[in-house]
Amino acid sequence: MARSKSNPQVVLRPQDLVVLLRLALERGSAPTYAALAAELGMTASEVHGAVERAVAAQLALKDASGKASVVFAALRSFVQHGARYCFPATRGSLTRGLPTSYAAAPLKDVIVPGTDPLPVWPHKNGTARGMAFYPLYPSVPEAAGRNPALYELLVLFDAVRGGSARERALAIDLLDKRLQP
């Protein structure tokens, strides 16, 4: 992990949270960096850097063999209290994309949308038209398509970082249930 001589501070990046949420789904041994990279649409070095930054931030640990595991209590606390300030929602104009936040499962089952356009991740193969809600990382829509459980975690995180107070509360509750060891 390269650091500047003038500022050696470790700074989390949006893809770090994507990698952490994916690792949180593992109940056994963590997949290799190459496997994670292929699934998440990143390079193996990006995944490795994400894990190193997560370890430095105490959101993950490495075992003796170098395999990473999520510190669930720390990740839940970070998502609930800090992540929306580190990775605020960035919105755009009307576009075609994949539903996110309250417009996708599991929140779409408990929140009735108003008359505003739904939030969507801009994507050429999108199934809905709505207001652009840019994902944490450009490859997130493809990664979510490959892993429905990851899609749900990312949708809930989007509700935390860009939703109303009610949406945030519901999303945090659902994330707490999913981010258990």
Side-chain angles (χ1 to χ4, degrees), residues 124-141:
K124 62 184 176 197
N125 298 328
T127 58
R129 185 158 174 79
M131 294 302 288
F133 188 116
Y134 291 96
L136 280 172
Y137 195 73
S139 65
V140 159

Side-chain angles (χ1 to χ4, degrees), residues 115-130:
T115 58
D116 292 339
L118 299 175
V120 298
W121 293 327
H123 192 266
K124 62 184 176 197
N125 298 328
T127 58
R129 185 158 174 79

Side-chain angles (χ1 to χ4, degrees), residues 96-122:
R96 177 162 301 285
L98 299 175
T100 189
S101 189
Y102 67 86
L107 290 176
K108 76 175 185 177
D109 300 330
V110 293
I111 294 177
V112 178
T115 58
D116 292 339
L118 299 175
V120 298
W121 293 327

Side-chain angles (χ1 to χ4, degrees), residues 5 7 34 37 43 59 80 87-88 91-92 96 105 116 121 130 161 168 173 177-178:
K5 287 183 181 183
N7 185 6
T43 65
L59 295 170
Q80 182 175 1
F87 311 116
R91 300 174 194 272
R96 177 162 301 285
D116 292 339
W121 293 327
R161 71 186 183 118
R168 278 195 310 273
D173 184 52
K177 292 175 184 167
R178 285 169 169 75

Side-chain angles (χ1 to χ4, degrees), residues 155-174:
V155 159
L156 291 170
F157 180 71
D158 279 352
V160 171
R161 71 186 183 118
S164 68
R166 179 171 178 256
E167 292 162 10
R168 278 195 310 273
L170 288 168
I172 287 169
D173 184 52
L174 290 170

Side-chain angles (χ1 to χ4, degrees), residues 11-12 36 47 51 77 88 102 107 125-126 133 137 144 152 173 175:
V11 178
L12 289 176
L36 281 171
V47 172
V51 169
S77 180
Y102 67 86
L107 290 176
N125 298 328
F133 188 116
Y137 195 73
E152 284 192 4
D173 184 52
L175 275 167

Side-chain angles (χ1 to χ4, degrees), residues 61-100:
L61 298 172
K62 282 187 172 182
D63 63 16
S65 66
K67 293 284 185 177
S69 61
V70 173
V71 178
F72 286 95
L75 180 59
R76 283 195 316 271
S77 180
F78 178 67
V79 168
Q80 182 175 1
H81 300 291
R84 75 184 187 128
Y85 301 108
C86 292
F87 311 116
T90 303
R91 300 174 194 272
S93 59
L94 275 174
T95 188
R96 177 162 301 285
L98 299 175
T100 189

